Amino acid sequence: MKAQRKRIAGILITLLGGIFWGMSGACGQYLFEYKDVTSKWLVPIRLVVAGYVMLSYFLVKDRKTTMSVWKTKRNAIDIVIYGLAGLMLCQYTYFATIEHSNAGTATVLQYMSPVMIMVVVCLMTRKLPKAAEVIAMVCALAGIFLIATHGKFNELVISKEALFYGIVSALTVVIYNLQPKSLMRQFSTPLLLAWAMTIGGTALFILFRPWTYSPIIDAETIAAMFAIIVLGTVISFTCYMQGVKWIGPTHASLYASVEPLVAAILSIVWLHVPFKLIDFIGFIFILSTIFILFFSSKGKKQEKSEQAA
């Protein structure tokens, strides 16, 4: 009974994390459209504030463990790569995609990452993809084609910038998931996130100099930034990682896929984005890859357990 309660709690908390992520994207779109905000201002502020808040917490809680991330040269290099090539690029390209399109489209394009991870793993292990994995790949490509062209071979219906940043965003999720494996065996994920956000945010702060921009700062801007930084960063990542702990990464990623649904609904209802039926068909193609890969991996595990028995 206790295990069942933990599973239910894990599902609910993971769903909550996904909802907050989707809401964060919609709030970013609101700021881009109505408050003269750009991704070059938003992302450095988001990462610096969230990173320094989380890092301060860990330093107060256990300074020795917090600083031990830097004790070996290998770990130091890995955390810098994770902060810059993983988290920083992932966050910047995601919000840049929103800036050039909308939250729903940006979030769905980012969900091409499971297929990209599958391709990378196949290349690294020198194994051909299974039938289900090939189907997932075809669905992802079909979804991108429909979203980007609405079925017209000679015309893009979203900007080249949105398509570029969306694909790069998905690629950076691959780095974000695969690169820090060695670190994750040694340290807690929230601690690594705190360092990565601090490193990535500081780098973007120096690169983009957000203090040179002049967005509209009012109560609505502050409320949206609160939602993005606190709910959509600190709390959402914490919820998701707790969900991973309770129900495992495979199930957690499946339930977190509520994120693009929330982002799309808020884009339509709140921000009045005019999606067409063919857009939703493209969304379904891309999001179906998560379920295809999930049930494929579940089938493999069941087959192995039967062979072992």
Side-chain angles (χ1 to χ4, degrees), residues 58 65 69 183-194 241:
F58 284 112
T65 301
V69 171
L183 290 170
M184 293 179 87
R185 285 193 290 267
Q186 304 172 63
F187 307 100
S188 71
T189 303
L191 174 59
L192 296 176
L193 283 170
M241 295 317 303

Side-chain angles (χ1 to χ4, degrees), residues 40-68:
K40 291 181 179 180
W41 181 88
L42 173 61
V43 181
I45 300 292
R46 178 196 192 192
L47 292 182
V48 161
V49 174
Y52 278 84
V53 167
M54 291 178 71
L55 192 59
S56 298
Y57 166 78
F58 284 112
L59 285 169
V60 171
K61 181 183 177 184
D62 187 348
R63 182 182 178 84
K64 186 178 179 181
T65 301
T66 302
M67 298 307 297
S68 66

Side-chain angles (χ1 to χ4, degrees), residues 19-34 42 94-95 98 102-104 106-107 224 227-228 259-271 273:
I19 289 168
F20 283 155
W21 272 333
M23 184 181 66
S24 170
C27 286
Q29 183 182 339
Y30 169 77
L31 292 174
F32 296 145
E33 291 185 6
Y34 298 103
L42 173 61
Y94 170 65
F95 277 100
I98 295 175
N102 58 76
T107 309
I228 291 169
E259 177 191 356
L261 178 62
V262 171
I265 290 172
L266 288 175
S267 293
I268 295 167
V269 176
W270 178 30
L271 302 169
V273 176

Side-chain angles (χ1 to χ4, degrees), residues 5-271:
R5 283 201 298 267
K6 182 181 280 191
R7 175 176 170 75
I8 293 171
I11 291 171
L12 292 175
I13 202 169
T14 305
L15 285 170
L16 186 63
I19 289 168
F20 283 155
W21 272 333
M23 184 181 66
S24 170
C27 286
Q29 183 182 339
Y30 169 77
L31 292 174
F32 296 145
E33 291 185 6
Y34 298 103
K35 301 299 179 181
D36 295 338
V37 168
T38 69
S39 53
K40 291 181 179 180
W41 181 88
L42 173 61
V43 181
I45 300 292
R46 178 196 192 192
L47 292 182
V48 161
V49 174
Y52 278 84
V53 167
M54 291 178 71
L55 192 59
S56 298
Y57 166 78
F58 284 112
L59 285 169
V60 171
K61 181 183 177 184
D62 187 348
R63 182 182 178 84
K64 186 178 179 181
T65 301
T66 302
M67 298 307 297
S68 66
V69 171
W70 300 95
K71 278 192 173 180
T72 69
K73 184 178 179 181
R74 169 68 188 274
N75 285 349
I77 292 171
D78 281 349
I79 193 66
V80 171
I81 293 172
Y82 178 45
L84 298 179
L87 192 71
M88 183 192 79
L89 277 179
C90 178
Q91 292 298 306
Y92 175 68
T93 53
Y94 170 65
F95 277 100
T97 309
I98 295 175
E99 187 176 3
H100 290 286
S101 58
N102 58 76
T105 299
T107 309
V108 170
L109 287 175
Q110 195 178 63
Y111 269 75
M112 295 185 296
S113 56
V115 171
M116 293 181 176
I117 291 172
M118 178 266 296
V119 171
V120 170
V121 170
C122 286
L123 290 173
M124 290 173 64
T125 58
R126 297 182 181 179
K127 291 181 180 179
L128 291 173
K130 305 296 182 184
E133 294 168 339
V134 172
I135 293 171
M137 202 182 308
V138 171
C139 285
L141 292 172
I144 298 170
F145 173 73
L146 291 177
I147 292 170
T149 69
H150 283 182
K152 300 172 184 177
F153 287 92
N154 59 345
E155 183 181 339
L156 280 177
V157 295
I158 64 173
S159 70
K160 292 178 182 178
E161 291 85 358
L163 186 59
F164 170 76
Y165 282 123
I167 292 173
V168 174
S169 174
L171 285 169
T172 58
V173 174
V174 178
I175 301 171
Y176 175 83
N177 276 274
L178 298 181
Q179 190 273 335
K181 279 190 173 181
S182 174
L183 290 170
M184 293 179 87
R185 285 193 290 267
Q186 304 172 63
F187 307 100
S188 71
T189 303
L191 174 59
L192 296 176
L193 283 170
W195 275 116
M197 287 178 184
T198 302
I199 294 166
T202 302
L204 283 183
F205 218 82
I206 295 168
L207 180 64
F208 291 147
R209 299 184 299 166
W211 61 88
T212 63
Y213 293 86
S214 301
I216 298 170
I217 304 296
D218 56 16
E220 293 171 339
T221 302
I222 293 170
M225 288 299 294
F226 176 86
I228 291 169
I229 294 170
V230 178
L231 300 180
T233 307
V234 178
I235 294 179
S236 60
F237 275 109
T238 302
C239 286
Y240 178 74
M241 295 317 303
Q242 189 61 48
V244 168
K245 185 177 180 180
W246 284 345
I247 62 176
T250 305
H251 285 84
S253 62
L254 182 67
Y255 290 111
S257 64
V258 70
E259 177 191 356
L261 178 62
V262 171
I265 290 172
L266 288 175
S267 293
I268 295 167
V269 176
W270 178 30
L271 302 169

